[in-house]
Amino acid sequence: MLNWPPTVRVFVYTQPTDMRRSFDRLSAMVQEILNQDPLSGHLFVFVNRKADRMKVLFWDRSGFCLFYKRLEQGVFHLPATPQACLEIDTIRLTLILEGLDLRQTIQRKRFAL
């Protein structure tokens, strides 16, 4: 699986996204809809209507990278929110990619800087 440093922020676009969109159109969505800089090095997550496909767009200092995952069974369980954009941490993103439903988990308080 992928490892990201803890300083990386993860922005999830919670509305269904056309998975035919590629680097340029997704980066335009990051600027226009999420109001973020696509060159920041943060992760931008997009999911299709059926929630069985996910794209993660990020900039790695020399160009855009696109991580694309298609599930053969089941769906991704994103946190329910009325907002169009949600910020989560890299641990939650990893758990979502692994198929865990975060609505049924409890996170205990931990010390953080």
Side-chain angles (χ1 to χ4, degrees):
M1 198 59 195
L2 300 172
N3 284 329
W4 296 292
T7 56
V8 170
R9 296 172 67 188
V10 181
F11 297 95
V12 180
Y13 182 60
T14 59
Q15 304 300 314
T17 303
D18 182 1
M19 287 293 114
R20 294 175 292 183
R21 293 182 181 222
S22 192
F23 300 98
D24 296 329
R25 290 181 68 196
L26 289 175
S27 64
M29 285 180 66
V30 169
Q31 288 178 321
E32 296 166 6
I33 298 172
L34 303 179
N35 297 320
Q36 297 292 327
D37 179 15
L39 304 177
S40 64
H42 299 308
L43 305 176
F44 302 98
V45 180
F46 303 92
V47 179
N48 69 337
R49 185 172 306 282
K50 292 193 281 184
D52 65 345
R53 296 164 195 245
M54 178 184 288
K55 284 188 176 182
V56 180
L57 177 74
F58 59 98
W59 178 263
D60 77 343
R61 292 180 288 161
S62 62
F64 280 114
C65 297
L66 195 59
F67 173 76
Y68 186 26
K69 184 167 184 176
R70 181 188 73 192
L71 297 176
E72 295 301 320
Q73 293 182 358
V75 296
F76 294 109
H77 295 282
L78 297 178
T81 180
Q83 303 167 335
C85 179
L86 174 69
E87 186 174 353
I88 62 175
D89 57 11
T90 57
I91 295 169
R92 281 188 169 78
L93 177 60
T94 303
L95 294 175
I96 291 169
L97 286 169
E98 289 297 323
L100 294 176
D101 187 354
L102 300 181
R103 295 174 293 187
Q104 299 175 4
T105 59
I106 299 172
Q107 183 175 6
R108 306 283 185 217
K109 288 187 177 184
R110 298 286 187 253
F111 177 78
L113 294 176

